[in-house]
Amino acid sequence: MSEIRVRFAPSPTGSLHLGGARTALFNWLFARNLGGNYVLRIEDTDRERSTAESEDQLIRSLRWLGLDWDEGPDCPGEHGPYRQSERMEIYRERAEDLLARGLAYRCFCSDEHLTAEREKAKVEKRDPVYDGRCAGIDPEEANRRAETEPHTLRFRMPQKDITIRDLVRGEVTFPAGMVGDFILLRKDGMPVYNFACAVDDGLMEISHVLRGEDHLSNSLRQVALYEAMNLPLPEFAHLSMILGEDRSKLSKRHGAVSVEAFREAGYPAEALLNALALLGWNPGDDRERMSLEEITEAFDIARVHKAAAVFDRDKLDWISGSWIRERSGEELQELARPHLPEEGERLPKILDVLKDRIHCFGDLPAEMESFRGDLPTPDEEAREWLKGAGDFLAALADALENREVDFKSLLKEVGKESGRKGKELFMPTRVALTGQTHGPDLGATAELLGRELVIERLRKARSHG
Ligand code: GLU
C-alpha cells in the first residue's frame, strides 16, 4: 500500500463543533492506527467569513483534544503551504491549465440570471443545474470579453455516470447530469471550496479523504476534477451525520456543541474523544469506556457504519464520570483546579471525596456547596435514620468538642458507649453530616467539613430526628 496520508481541513469560520471534532478524530485514529501522516489544512478561501481568531480557536481546541498533526501551518512538511489563502498561485495555475485544455470556460452570466435560474429550479422542485449558457462561447471571444467584463471560471462537468468507492458506503454512483458545470474561480479570482480542495488533496498526496456525508456530492465534483487534472484519486469514507437525541441534526438547539464549551464545562479531553469515537464506530466487542490508546489500537475504518449516530449526553457523562473515578485526587487536581481555584492544597482530598459524584469538573462547585454552610434538609428516608439518634449525635458532638482524637476513632468509641454499631452507627452520622444516605468515606467527609461544621451539623440533626 502506498503511504497513508489523511487530512483534517477545517474552515476557520467558527469554533470546532462535535461533528468537526469527530471527523478530526477519525482521521487521526486512521493515521495513527496505520502509521500514516496526519495533515492539518486551513481552508480559508472564504475571506469574508474566515478569521484569524477562529483559526486560533480551532487550533486550541484540537490541541486540547490532543489530536496532534504531522504537517500543518505551524509545522510545515513538504506539501505546504497549509493555509489555502497562501496557495492562490497554485490554484491560478491549475485553473489556467484547465482553461487552456478546454476543460473549463469563462462564464459571464450575471448574478440576476443565475438567481432567477435557481428560483425557477426551486419552483419546479429540482436541483439547480447551470444552463450552460456560456459553455459554447468561442474561447477567443471569451478572452476578449474577459478584459473588461467580470466573469467566473466554470468547470465543464463531464456528462457521464461517476462512481466512487466509499469505505463506509461501498460503491456510490451519481448519474450523469446530476451536477452541472460549476464555478472554479469566483469573479474576484478566489477559488471555490471544491476546486481548492481537489487541488490540495491531489498535490498534498492525500490517500484517504474521511469527512462528513454532507460532502458526498462534493466528492462527485472533486472526483471529476481529479480526473481532469490527472491527479491520482484518493479513497473516500463519508461519515454519517451526528444527530441529537430527538434525531434531528445536532445543532446549538441541543445545547453545547462546541469543543470549547465541553472544555469549559470541565470534561476531560480523553473522555470527550471516547464518546466521539463511539459515534458511528465500535471496537467490535461491547467495550465502551476505552482509553485513547485502546481506541487507536482497535480503530478500523471497516467498522465505521453508515447509520446516523446519535450523540447521547448521558453516555458522555457516564464515560467522563468513569474517567474521573479511575484517577486519584492527586492526578485530577490540575484539571479540577480552574473549577475550584479557592481550595488550594485541600483540592486532592476534596477530589478523592467528591469524584464519585461528578460527571465533569464543572459539577464541583455545586457539590462543594454541601461542604459549606447549611446542611440541605434530609429527605424522608434519610430522616428515618435520625429517629432516636439524638442523644448519640449529641454525645458525638460533645466528644469532638472536648477531645483531639480523629473522627473515626471517636465515632467508634462513642458508638460503643451508645450501644451502636454497623449501619446503626454510620447511617445517622452520615445523614447528620451530609443529609444523604449515600456518599463518600465518612472520615474524609468529616475532614472536609472541618471540626466546627461537623459539630454544628451533629447538633442540628437532633431537630430533624
Ligand atoms: N473546509 C471544509 C469544511 O470545513 C472541508 C471539507 C473537507 O473535508 O473536504 O467543511
Side-chain angles (χ1 to χ4, degrees):
M1 199 194 281
S2 61
E3 206 192 341
I4 301 282
R5 290 176 58 81
V6 294
R7 86 309 191 268
F8 178 54
S11 303
T13 54
S15 45
L16 181 64
H17 284 193
L18 293 183
R22 198 253 324 232
T23 302
L25 171 65
F26 280 29
N27 275 287
W28 185 90
L29 289 170
F30 187 78
R32 294 295 174 254
N33 174 273
L34 296 170
N37 274 309
Y38 182 51
V39 177
L40 175 68
R41 182 173 73 230
I42 302 295
E43 302 210 323
D44 58 350
T45 55
D46 185 341
R47 302 309 292 162
E48 263 161 39
R49 295 176 58 225
S50 302
T51 64
E53 297 82 72
S54 162
E55 181 181 322
D56 287 349
Q57 217 207 326
L58 275 169
I59 289 188
R60 254 202 323 276
S61 292
L62 289 170
R63 284 206 195 292
W64 175 73
L65 287 169
L67 302 177
D68 57 332
W69 46 96
D70 307 303
E71 296 167 34
D74 57 336
C75 52
E78 289 167 15
H79 299 76
Y82 293 86
R83 209 178 267 115
Q84 287 189 328
S85 57
E86 293 165 19
R87 299 174 62 82
M88 290 302 147
E89 204 44 49
I90 300 173
Y91 308 130
R92 227 174 332 262
E93 271 172 29
R94 289 279 157 174
E96 271 164 24
D97 178 60
L98 289 171
L99 183 65
R101 289 191 288 128
L103 298 173
Y105 60 88
R106 299 189 201 275
C107 171
F108 300 91
C109 287
S110 65
D111 292 344
E112 292 75 34
H113 170 67
L114 297 173
T115 312
E117 286 289 303
R118 262 197 303 275
E119 288 301 316
K120 207 165 110 197
K122 214 165 154 189
V123 173
E124 291 168 11
K125 291 195 166 53
R126 55 177 173 82
D127 288 334
V129 174
Y130 176 59
D131 62 6
R133 185 177 272 220
C134 294
I137 301 178
D138 175 68
E140 275 187 25
E141 186 198 333
N143 285 346
R144 247 192 331 272
R145 284 177 67 181
E147 285 175 20
T148 53
E149 282 182 53
H151 62 279
T152 59
L153 197 71
R154 268 188 201 274
F155 179 60
R156 248 183 246 286
M157 185 70 188
Q159 290 311 309
K160 61 173 190 183
D161 292 0
I162 291 184
T163 299
I164 64 171
R165 230 171 51 76
D166 185 296
L167 295 170
V168 176
R169 273 142 233 278
E171 284 195 351
V172 184
T173 299
F174 301 93
M178 198 181 125
V179 162
D181 295 350
F182 59 90
I183 293 178
L184 300 178
L185 298 183
R186 296 196 185 89
K187 283 187 182 144
D188 61 2
M190 289 302 274
V192 300
Y193 155 72
N194 275 304
F195 181 46
C197 184
V199 169
D200 290 348
D201 285 341
L203 297 182
M204 292 182 177
E205 297 181 47
I206 298 302
S207 63
H208 295 77
V209 171
L210 278 59
R211 61 184 166 204
E213 72 175 343
D214 48 334
H215 286 290
L216 251 177
S217 69
N218 288 328
S219 297
L220 159 66
R221 292 177 177 85
Q222 292 173 23
V223 165
L225 280 170
Y226 286 114
E227 286 177 2
M229 294 189 287
N230 298 315
L231 291 169
L233 269 186
E235 297 217 45
F236 290 93
H238 290 93
L239 311 173
S240 65
M241 289 289 94
I242 303 179
L243 309 180
E245 274 161 73
D246 60 356
R247 300 200 71 84
S248 69
K249 196 174 168 219
L250 191 68
S251 73
K252 283 212 183 94
R253 284 185 302 109
H254 297 98
V257 285
S258 74
V259 168
E260 187 62 14
F262 286 95
R263 187 186 70 77
E264 276 171 11
Y267 285 91
E270 197 185 20
L272 185 58
L273 289 175
N274 187 167
L276 290 176
L278 299 176
L279 294 177
W281 173 82
N282 66 66
D285 49 46
D286 57 10
R287 276 179 300 169
E288 289 199 309
R289 169 73 197 98
M290 297 171 80
S291 69
L292 188 56
E293 207 178 320
E294 288 166 328
I295 295 171
T296 309
E297 205 163 291
F299 190 78
D300 180 353
I301 193 81
R303 298 206 63 84
V304 172
H305 41 87
K306 61 182 177 193
V310 175
F311 177 64
D312 176 348
R313 201 166 285 261
D314 290 341
K315 185 175 283 180
L316 170 65
D317 280 346
W318 170 75
I319 288 173
S320 177
S322 342
W323 190 97
I324 290 173
R325 269 196 304 285
E326 286 158 17
R327 286 162 175 78
S328 69
E330 199 73 43
E331 290 169 297
L332 296 171
Q333 59 174 326
E334 205 181 311
L335 289 174
R337 177 92 47 207
H339 301 271
L340 284 180
E342 67 283 7
E343 290 299 344
E345 288 178 2
R346 285 203 320 165
L347 192 55
K349 274 201 177 134
I350 292 177
L351 289 164
D352 281 326
V353 173
L354 292 184
K355 65 180 186 179
D356 292 350
R357 312 176 66 83
I358 58 172
H359 300 307
C360 60
F361 297 111
D363 291 343
L364 282 170
E367 286 296 330
M368 268 315 278
E369 281 310 302
S370 51
F371 288 88
R372 301 186 181 115
D374 284 345
L375 176 73
T377 317
D379 65 19
E380 193 98 3
E381 185 207 341
R383 265 211 300 268
E384 279 300 305
W385 287 104
L386 297 178
K387 293 219 166 104
D391 289 345
F392 153 67
L393 295 172
L396 183 56
D398 290 344
L400 272 165
E401 204 162 40
N402 299 321
R403 298 171 51 196
E404 282 291 322
V405 181
D406 80 281
F407 180 79
K408 272 209 164 154
S409 322
L410 216 50
L411 178 63
K412 270 206 191 118
E413 218 176 280
V414 178
K416 221 181 217 160
E417 285 161 14
S418 327
R420 287 176 177 263
K421 55 178 191 218
K423 275 194 163 183
E424 294 294 321
L425 175 63
F426 293 114
M427 292 304 261
T429 313
R430 181 179 293 290
V431 173
L433 295 190
T434 66
Q436 287 164 342
T437 49
H438 300 284
D441 177 73
L442 259 185
T445 303
E447 197 182 326
L448 264 195
L449 283 167
R451 204 167 269 253
E452 259 171 56
L453 205 50
V454 169
I455 294 170
E456 190 187 312
R457 288 188 176 184
L458 287 171
R459 294 208 162 121
K460 271 202 182 146
R462 296 191 74 159
S463 59
H464 293 301

